[in-house]
Amino acid sequence: MAGLNIPGVTDQYKTNETVEKLMQIERIPLTREQEQLDAYKAQKDAWREVNTQLSSLRESIKSLYSYENPFNSKLASSTDENAITASANRSAEIQSFKVDVIQPATADRFLTDELATDYQIPQGVYTYKVGDKQVTINWKGGTLKNFSDAINKRGNGVIKSMIIGASAGKKTLLIESCITGKDNKLIFEGAAKTLALSTGMVSAVSSNKETFGTSSGEFFAPPPSKNTENSKMPGLSLTRTKLTNGTVLVEPRGAFQINIPGQITSKNTNHITFTLRANNVQDITEALNKEAENPVIPDAGYAEFKGIVVRNMGSEANLPEQSQQNKTPLSPVNNKNVLYALMADGTEKLISTPTLFSDSEISIDLPIAEYQGIKGIIVRNENTGYSLEVSAFSAYDSGQALGYAPNHAIEEAGDCIIKYEGITITRSNNDIDDVVPEITLHVHEKTERTATITVKPDKEASKNALIEFVGKYNQVIAKINVLSQNKREIVEELDYLSDAEKEKLFGQLGMFQGDFTLPNMKSSMQGILTQNYRYSDYATLTLLAQIGISTNATGYSGSYSQSRLRGYLEIDEKKLDDAIENHLDEIKQLFGYDSDDDLIIDSGIAYNLDKQLTAYTQTGGILALKTSTLDSKIKSSQTKITKLEDQMTKKEAELRAKYSSMESSLNSLENQQNSINNFTRQQQQQQQNR
């Protein structure tokens, strides 16, 4: 419909444009407040970024003087890492020691005979034991693979299984223990034992014992004892031993040696067992002290050939007896060390018997695997008031003790045996942490030659920690420079930043230019870094610059560069490497030391920096106060904006109502004028028609 105008819609008189222009003027306070709110939020974000970087720097600083400081970190290296490695705790001593791996600890690993691919495992309760752990599988019957999967699912770190392809169309089942050590044998019970026997994994055997030392001809005089503390005491003698009904009675000062048959020592799974008891008897020193002491004549010696001992005739000297008034009485001897293993090279290894005098029988079990090269057993009763009873000697094969033996053993359970500085040590596993304090030995294979374990400082960790500290410190200084100065070159010289990161920093340039918080922090940190720290009267490194870290560490003497004056730290890597190599403990003292001998670190570069930064980053600290103040301003600004927005809404509604009314009035007048004009034209037309 031509000429139809709707106020506020058709905008014939451009009232919408007029209202919008008027509202732009009205919105100036609102726009200003919104810009202020954005500024508050940007400042809060900036303070948060400063807090994050300071907290990160503080963590790096604390690591330089805390208990976990890198200067105490240790590295352990081995000359034969294929056979043995080591890991050292922070408290480990700087040292080197030698280790021979006789054998690593092993676990039982048994294979079946070759079985058909479609072999079925019958239903049953399959029980496997390793040490004090047990796995029981209620099997409903099925294939080899499903049975193997069931073992792996329920093995729980005790046993595991695998199917191995053998010849064409054949499979073998591997079952292995996950626990090493000779006392942790894989034991089959119930259906598991039946399966192991039927599949050829094991075969039934009888446990036979072999006895020796039952006849007097097997006993010999031992080599002379190296103990000569009391030369006036009667010598140890084979004549003071007596074999009765398979038991050897060793009187005070008696001794014997018995050789072990070669067929026993040739098998590592063999054990030698016997019992030992000490009986209290009349002390022989009482009678000896009653005798007159004559001049001591050296022993004439003896000769031995194939177990036959021929003693030389003693010397005769018709010397007058001495008076008993000048005689020194003999003291009783009580020595628990009576048992020795005689090795093939002639050396002897003490077999400890700490409970010898407890009036109870001691059972001795000597594993051949732990006494590699054993030739015989020596008993020396140096005691003067105890006799010894030694039972007959027997040997058994530990591999046959269960009544069955493996047919296809890939590996059998055995202890780890090592020699530490010549001392033989046996453990059930390959990670040994109770031999060398603060060091864990990790045994892998037998050594071909003696391995040397060296423990030294982890210098690389110290260097990395110092480099990390310098990097985080420089990031903080860059942030302080950006926020406190309005110079574009500050951002442009930060080559490690991406374009997006630089753009963000350009927006933060000079944000806190009138705030002295950041410049004061920077000044304090620089003062701490350049301070002299004399942690002892003999200190040679007392400045950070002496280890190659300073604002001019590289000694660049070229043209003037403003960027070199902004407080960034530099590293002279060669100088730092030299300091770490030769003065690591002094570097540690430089960053944190105890100045008053109360065992608490209370001075040093890292300690002082940490203390300084704590005032800024802690809860309720300077930065928390800054963000808290901004939170209040943000909240107030948001309230003001809400109020202004309500005012603007009402104002705009009022203006639109007024201008709509005006437009309606103008439309009405225009319509009236149009009506008058139309009436006039009609009258004129009628007159013309007349």
Side-chain angles (χ1 to χ4, degrees):
M1 182 181 295
L4 180 62
N5 293 316
I6 302 174
V9 177
T10 56
D11 198 17
Q12 181 181 358
Y13 303 102
K14 298 188 182 299
T15 55
N16 288 336
E17 182 179 344
T18 302
V19 170
E20 186 60 35
K21 288 181 179 180
L22 290 173
M23 287 305 301
Q24 287 178 0
I25 297 172
E26 294 290 337
R27 289 194 188 98
I28 289 176
L30 176 60
T31 303
R32 185 183 301 118
E33 194 61 39
Q34 288 174 331
E35 291 174 351
Q36 186 63 63
L37 176 61
D38 290 340
Y40 289 152
K41 289 182 177 179
Q43 290 174 15
K44 182 179 178 180
D45 289 341
W47 283 121
R48 282 179 172 174
E49 290 171 8
V50 170
N51 186 64
T52 299
Q53 290 188 345
L54 285 179
S55 297
S56 179
L57 173 61
R58 188 180 169 209
E59 288 178 5
S60 177
I61 289 169
K62 286 181 73 69
S63 71
L64 293 176
Y65 79 92
S66 67
Y67 173 76
E68 297 295 331
N69 72 80
F71 311 113
N72 283 339
S73 296
K74 304 296 192 308
L75 280 178
S77 61
S78 169
T79 56
D80 190 351
E81 295 193 348
N82 291 327
I84 183 169
T85 57
S87 54
N89 295 337
R90 299 172 58 81
S91 302
E93 294 183 4
I94 306 299
Q95 58 183 305
S96 290
F97 53 87
K98 298 186 181 301
V99 178
D100 292 281
V101 178
I102 308 303
Q103 66 178 43
T106 52
D108 282 333
R109 303 178 67 200
F110 301 155
L111 278 172
T112 65
D113 291 338
E114 292 187 2
L115 306 173
T117 304
D118 59 353
Y119 186 90
Q120 296 290 306
I121 305 295
Q123 179 181 356
V125 178
Y126 292 77
T127 301
Y128 299 91
K129 290 183 178 180
V130 180
D132 59 353
K133 300 183 182 299
Q134 175 176 309
V135 174
T136 300
I137 302 172
N138 292 315
W139 179 245
K140 296 181 179 180
T143 64
L144 276 173
K145 183 181 184 308
N146 291 339
F147 184 70
S148 178
D149 291 341
I151 290 176
N152 292 330
K153 184 177 180 180
R154 297 173 177 82
N156 198 27
V158 178
I159 60 171
K160 58 184 179 180
S161 176
M162 182 186 300
I163 301 295
I164 300 175
S167 57
K170 298 288 186 178
K171 302 285 186 181
T172 57
L173 174 66
L174 169 68
I175 298 179
E176 61 180 300
S177 163
C178 300
I179 307 172
T180 59
K182 71 177 180 63
D183 294 330
N184 296 316
K185 291 188 172 297
L186 177 58
I187 300 174
F188 307 93
E189 292 186 354
K193 183 176 180 180
T194 302
L195 177 67
L197 290 168
S198 64
T199 58
M201 182 174 283
V202 299
S203 295
V205 296
S206 59
S207 180
N208 297 321
K209 286 190 176 182
E210 184 174 351
T211 303
F212 62 99
T214 57
S215 65
S216 58
E218 296 179 72
F219 295 90
F220 307 97
S225 171
K226 296 179 180 179
N227 184 4
T228 57
E229 293 180 0
N230 194 338
S231 59
K232 299 179 181 179
M233 191 70 70
L236 301 177
S237 174
L238 177 64
T239 60
R240 297 188 181 91
T241 63
K242 181 167 44 175
L243 177 64
T244 305
N245 297 327
T247 299
V248 183
L249 176 64
V250 185
E251 298 175 354
R253 309 301 292 176
F256 71 82
Q257 170 188 327
I258 184 168
N259 295 331
I260 304 171
Q263 66 270 23
I264 295 176
T265 59
S266 63
K267 193 171 183 180
N268 280 346
T269 55
N270 281 340
H271 289 235
I272 298 172
T273 62
F274 58 96
T275 61
L276 180 68
R277 178 193 291 273
N279 299 314
N280 200 323
V281 296
Q282 180 70 35
D283 198 300
I284 63 173
T285 57
E286 297 178 10
L288 292 173
N289 287 330
K290 292 179 181 179
E291 299 176 358
E293 184 176 11
N294 293 320
V296 177
I297 301 174
D299 186 72
Y302 67 92
E304 179 183 359
F305 180 72
K306 293 185 177 181
I308 300 174
V309 179
V310 178
R311 294 190 173 274
N312 295 328
M313 182 178 293
S315 301
E316 295 182 1
N318 297 321
L319 299 175
E321 295 185 354
Q322 294 183 351
S323 170
Q324 295 217 18
Q325 294 180 356
N326 299 325
K327 179 180 179 180
T328 301
L330 296 173
S331 299
V333 176
N334 291 315
N335 187 353
K336 294 180 180 180
N337 297 331
V338 299
L339 196 59
Y340 301 85
L342 178 63
M343 313 309 286
D345 60 1
T347 60
E348 297 178 14
K349 181 188 296 186
L350 174 67
I351 301 172
S352 180
T353 52
T355 60
L356 181 65
F357 299 146
S358 61
D359 293 331
S360 60
E361 192 174 75
I362 303 173
S363 295
I364 308 296
D365 188 313
L366 304 181
I368 296 298
E370 295 181 18
Y371 290 85
Q372 294 287 336
I374 189 172
K375 172 187 174 183
I377 296 172
I378 295 174
V379 174
R380 291 193 182 96
N381 186 15
E382 297 180 356
N383 298 288
T384 57
Y386 285 92
S387 65
L388 303 178
E389 288 183 16
V390 184
S391 71
F393 298 85
S394 63
Y396 72 93
D397 187 344
S398 60
Q400 300 176 356
L402 299 173
Y404 55 80
N407 293 324
H408 311 289
I410 297 176
E411 205 168 52
E412 294 191 48
D415 285 342
C416 172
I417 304 175
I418 65 171
K419 280 190 176 181
Y420 165 69
E421 296 291 357
I423 303 170
T424 301
I425 294 167
T426 303
R427 296 291 184 271
S428 63
N429 59 69
N430 290 316
D431 295 317
I432 305 173
D433 60 3
D434 59 351
V435 173
V436 188
E438 304 298 329
I439 295 174
T440 300
L441 301 175
H442 308 287
V443 177
H444 310 296
E445 299 290 345
K446 178 181 179 180
T447 50
E448 296 300 329
R449 62 187 65 181
T450 301
T452 300
I453 305 294
T454 303
V455 180
K456 56 185 178 181
D458 188 352
K459 297 174 182 177
E460 192 67 26
S462 300
K463 181 178 179 180
N464 290 338
L466 291 172
I467 292 174
E468 180 184 359
F469 157 67
V470 171
K472 291 185 176 181
Y473 176 85
N474 285 344
Q475 287 179 344
V476 169
I477 295 300
K479 195 70 172 180
I480 292 174
N481 291 338
V482 168
L483 294 174
S484 59
Q485 301 176 54
N486 193 8
K487 299 177 181 179
R488 290 184 63 85
E489 57 267 25
I490 292 176
V491 177
E492 290 170 348
E493 66 194 19
L494 301 176
D495 298 332
Y496 56 86
L497 297 178
S498 66
D499 291 341
E501 290 172 330
K502 285 186 177 181
E503 191 63 32
K504 180 180 179 180
L505 290 182
F506 280 132
Q508 294 179 338
L509 275 173
M511 183 176 286
F512 303 134
Q513 195 165 0
D515 191 325
F516 291 101
T517 302
L518 295 178
N520 288 343
M521 180 201 304
K522 177 181 175 181
S523 178
S524 298
M525 289 194 298
Q526 289 176 325
I528 292 171
L529 293 179
T530 56
Q531 187 176 335
N532 191 317
Y533 296 89
R534 183 160 291 278
Y535 43 83
S536 74
D537 295 337
Y538 307 100
T540 57
L541 292 181
T542 59
L543 293 169
L544 186 62
Q546 288 180 284
I547 66 171
I549 301 177
S550 69
T551 54
N552 189 27
T554 56
Y556 179 75
S557 58
S559 59
Y560 168 79
S561 173
Q562 179 65 33
S563 65
R564 299 178 65 81
L565 303 178
R566 302 199 197 281
Y568 300 118
L569 289 176
E570 297 178 350
I571 297 177
D572 182 340
E573 191 168 0
K574 184 177 180 181
K575 193 172 183 179
L576 178 61
D577 287 341
D578 180 72
I580 291 175
E581 183 67 31
N582 301 301
H583 306 284
L584 188 60
D585 191 61
E586 293 180 76
I587 295 175
K588 172 187 171 183
Q589 298 289 333
L590 183 62
F591 281 92
Y593 63 94
D594 174 18
S595 64
D596 53 9
D597 296 327
D598 62 353
L599 303 179
I600 299 175
I601 292 176
D602 53 19
S603 190
I605 294 173
Y607 175 84
N608 289 345
L609 276 176
D610 181 33
K611 186 177 180 181
Q612 176 71 26
L613 296 182
T614 299
Y616 290 87
T617 59
Q618 67 183 354
T619 303
I622 296 172
L623 296 186
L625 181 61
K626 292 285 185 183
T627 54
S628 177
T629 301
L630 284 170
D631 283 337
S632 299
K633 290 182 178 181
I634 289 171
K635 185 176 181 180
S636 176
S637 180
Q638 288 173 334
T639 301
K640 189 181 293 185
I641 287 173
T642 300
K643 184 177 180 181
L644 287 171
E645 285 176 341
D646 291 341
Q647 292 176 358
M648 294 304 100
T649 301
K650 291 179 181 179
K651 185 65 176 178
E652 184 175 1
E654 290 175 1
L655 288 174
R656 291 192 181 281
K658 288 180 180 180
Y659 277 88
S660 178
S661 176
M662 179 196 71
E663 188 173 344
S664 178
S665 298
L666 289 174
N667 287 337
S668 177
L669 290 174
E670 184 178 357
N671 290 335
Q672 291 177 8
Q673 183 181 0
N674 289 338
S675 297
I676 293 171
N677 289 338
N678 288 336
F679 178 77
T680 302
R681 283 196 299 273
Q682 289 176 357
Q683 292 297 318
Q684 289 176 352
Q685 187 68 35
Q686 290 177 356
Q687 290 177 359
Q688 289 176 0
N689 292 336
R690 292 176 182 177

